[in-house]
Amino acid sequence: MTLKELRSGERGTITGFVEEHAPVRLLEMGLLPGTVVEVLRLAPLGDPMDLRVRGYRLSIRKAEAALINVERQGP
């Protein structure tokens, strides 16, 4: 599944990227394989997504989130 599919309040671990080479911008923001990501909230129209990554808050567009593969974590 991709990060785009997670709902508000859910967590997942990044397992890789849809494309062979991850966009450098995402890597620079700390979105690396093995990183736990929590969806804090979605904007009223669903874009952007507000995330907690490595102890800080980050907002990314759903188009970017669709490039990141994650494994959903339990409650």
Side-chain angles (χ1 to χ4, degrees), residues 11-74:
R11 294 166 49 121
T13 302
I14 297 174
T15 58
F17 298 89
V18 173
E19 299 175 359
E20 183 176 330
H21 298 287
V24 174
R25 180 174 181 273
L26 297 177
L27 298 173
E28 289 173 343
M29 290 188 287
L31 297 169
L32 303 167
T35 302
V36 175
V37 177
E38 179 182 1
V39 179
L40 298 176
R41 66 187 184 121
L42 301 173
L45 298 177
D47 204 15
M49 299 177 74
D50 191 19
L51 310 172
R52 183 183 324 274
V53 180
R54 299 178 179 264
Y56 67 93
R57 292 178 78 149
L58 173 68
S59 291
I60 65 171
R61 296 189 178 277
K62 282 206 166 184
E64 294 171 316
L67 300 175
I68 303 169
N69 291 324
V70 297
E71 181 177 312
R72 183 178 292 152
Q73 290 188 346

